[in-house]
Amino acid sequence: MGTVKKLIVEVIDAQNLAPKDGHGTSSPYIVIDFYGQRRKTRTAVRDLNPVWNETLSFNVGEHNEIFGDVLELDVYHDMKYGPTRRENSLGRVRLTSTQFVKKGEEALIYYELKKKSLFNMVQGKIGLKIYYVDEEISPAPEKVPENSAPQPEKIEEGKINEGEETKSTTEPEKVEPPPAPPSEPEPKTEPESEPVQEGAEDPVDALPLEAFEMAAASISRSNSEIRFSGPHPQPIRRSASTASFTSEASFDSMLIERSTFDLVEKMHYLFVRVVKARYLPTNGSPIVKISVSGYNVNSKPARKTTLFEWNQTFAFTRDAQDSSPILEIIVWDSPEPRLLGGVCFDVNEIPVRDPPDSPLAPQWYRMEGGGAQHGDLMIATWIGTQADESFSDAWKSDTYNHMHSKAKVYQSPKLWYLRVTILEAQDITPLTPLKEAWCQFQLRVQFGFQVFKTKTVVTKNNVVSWNEDLLFVASEPINVSDYIVFNLENRQPKASVTMGVVKIPLTTVERRVDDRNVGSRWFTFEDPKEEKNNGYKGRVHLRLCFDGGYHVMDEAAHVTSDYRPTARQLWKPPVGTIELGIIGCKNLIPMKTINGKSSTDGYCVAKYGNKWVRTRTVSDNLEPKWNEQYTWKVFDPSTVLTIGVFDSFSVFELDNSNTEITKEPTRPDFRIGKVRIRISTLQTGRVYKNTYPLLVLTHGGLKKMGEIELAIRFVRTVQRLDFLHVYSQPMLPLMHHIKPLGVVHQEVLRNTAVKMVAGHLSRSEPPLRKDVVFFMLDADSHNFSVRKVRANWYRIINVVAGLIEIVRWIEDTRGWKNPTATLLVHALLVMLVWFPDLIIPTLAFYVFAIGAWNYRFRARDPLPHFDPKISLADVVDREELDEEFDIIPSSRSYEVVRARYDKLRTLGARVQTVLGDLATQGERVQALVTWRDPHATGIFVILCLVVAFILYLVPSKMVAMACGFYYLRHPIFRDRLPSPGLNFFRRLPSLSDRIM
């Protein structure tokens, strides 16, 4: 049995359609066209809010190139119902196949109807569910008549008027059975290719391993082979007659394939691919020993079939200090070490392979020396770069081929918000008779490690009403064994008593992408002791749904890398791509000491959106070179790319373990540093190649761990106007504005999401450890820190410093410190008073002048990075650092905690005073008209009446000019005492005298 891929379109209903029959109604039906196939629904007679609930199926075809296809949905009014003679269009919807999802992720979405032509009047929405399914097909019959022909596929007609046929007066609107689509495959026994996984990035072009055929003819002796009779083989000479066979001096002219490794430096490697051997005089599992430039590497034992197979690739770094020009490949017997023979090459004459070239074909070489007189070894040797397709799976000399040292790409799990609305419960009775006439009920809801409780409700009539919303975080895939558990508890003085349990599988929960109401259901409580059925325990009224219209935060709001909602149907097309070249680090500090030797095993992790990348681990090197390049799609420029550098401790644990490690490493990886780059600060198409310091705040203060060199390029893929239009759109999805989440609530959900992402990535191979994920996602960014409080205060002062300068300039002008400037301000005042239309243009021009003046001081290379001065990390007190790194609950002594508490009380007293002063000023403004002070309110009300009469009688321009001249009067006409108005305001009462 095979499978065929289908596109399923469930036409649910429509809302608020336009009337077209001349009587205030319409008789709509829908025609859907996809991939040359047309399907039609039944006609809903005289209904502006029709309900169809019909399912239409379309063939997708054999190939996977469906992302350029368009599904067109047209809504027509049936001309048979009403005086009209033509089938008027009620609207159209065009959807690209990138908005379709696989079965299980579909949700009811209402699409706005668009005009089919300029003069159409359309309105309303159409509700659809669109998804892919794989349907099983029976195998093809053994015998098929020769003159049989495939029948054309029929249009699914409605069942209201079976004897009649819908006709159209215009050719484009005519609905007729089309011929079978040319891409529709005949039934096959082989299944179709699987659809692309939802939420994944573009697949990386990965080439399969080459399959090598054994040569049929015997190997002839050529000039490239040299026999030797001694114990060691002699170098093999090869001619360099083509461009591919060049000397090592031409390395600089070799080009790396663009768009994959054009941001990083070329790293040259000597590749050795050991495939298989034949005619070896042994029954064991021989190994291959490769020696070149001080490296001695052993292969894995051969797999014995008709031949001896290794199929293993090795990559050796090509440094300028290479001393040995000889490459030796020797085969040894195992388990008893016995030389079987070998082959030797001159490294200077090994061919150079350019990345666009095809893989180098391996050859049979006659082994010399040892006991294999007629043995042959199939190998391939070439010099390439990290752009070679064999590089990712090869043994590398700079990583020592540790299990946790390979470069990998990871995907964050797809996270959903699970909304649980608890409405009410009925027929609730306690298990045992209680003396009290009332009960206190509470629902305890548990999903995985997430537990929430409702408020406690008192009832006397066995009916409990909560009307509460609870939000959980769920990750895909959602299995049949995933349940959400509801426990009904009766709060008693001694302890809570569980009265009933409800388990709901998540596979039955509906998904939605907007704020429409989902259907609620009643669930019956079961016995919590899981005994035999003891009768009816009551029931609970619930409404559950997966909210796909939210973006599930796993990063801090100010450094997030993605704002897309969970539901893929709501994703907008990307606006560009970001390319990151991770070149290497310099001047790293030794992070650990193993057996008296200091070392650092560095690797780099980058995160943007749901895609994580990890470079290979360069072992025992204080200046590691990675030269790896990665690409992400950018959906919003106001996002942040995060790069972190770590020292691997798991490499050491693997070196010192005789058995395979199956448990998580005992020590975390050391944090070397982190870099953040905001995409909006990059100019499109420009390459930024900078060196960033790696700064870490430790218990001893700010410490520079080294430097990292990065190359970054942002490429815009949309028109400039479309790109600028993104700045006018909300960052968060619509549901965050329709039903916003509280700041505290959202932070709790973010901590849960971080734990789920860390748990998911730690199950990969090699794992991305939890401490690394927590550091990249700033899981501890909201811990209390006196340093951050002081830094944020200085940030506020820096923001208002501009306003303070303006106020100071006004006071200097008012004080006639610069008479020329004061006279110019008088002239400006007269102009703006008599021509008030110039106020806003003048202000806008002034802001433009400030922005143009500051253009000279714009930020240039290097890009903005962590600033120790703004963070106050270079002047922080050591005691404050110890408090910042302390865990909760505190692990310090009683005296230290008491001193910190007293200091916190002092800081709280200052904050309390500031809040009280702000409240006092606000209450004084309220006291102006609340008659809290009858004399003050009377004076204020009478003054308001006098001002009103004056403004009625005197032109407003004259009043504004008089007020301006009075404010700018010379100091000789002023009193040194505060103004009467300020004295009056300070005398107003507040509620501070009523606080105990």
Side-chain angles (χ1 to χ4, degrees), residues 28 111 203 212-213 231 332 388 392 452 518 529-530 540 553 557 588 593 600 696 701 711 727 738 775 885 919 921:
Y111 299 95
F212 302 104
E213 300 291 341
W332 291 81
D388 200 293
S392 59
F452 291 101
V518 298
K529 298 181 180 179
E530 297 183 356
V540 62
M553 289 282 189
L588 291 183
T593 302
T600 297
V696 174
Y727 282 85
I738 297 177
F775 180 64
F885 285 98
Q921 305 306 321

Side-chain angles (χ1 to χ4, degrees), residues 585-623:
C585 286
K586 299 179 181 178
N587 305 321
L588 291 183
I589 297 177
M591 301 302 299
K592 56 181 178 288
T593 302
I594 306 299
N595 299 328
K597 179 183 178 182
S598 299
S599 64
T600 297
D601 302 318
Y603 67 93
C604 188
V605 176
K607 195 264 182 188
Y608 185 80
N610 60 348
K611 179 180 176 181
W612 299 66
V613 298
R614 170 180 174 164
T615 66
R616 65 187 187 278
T617 303
V618 178
S619 300
D620 195 13
N621 195 336
L622 298 182
E623 294 191 357

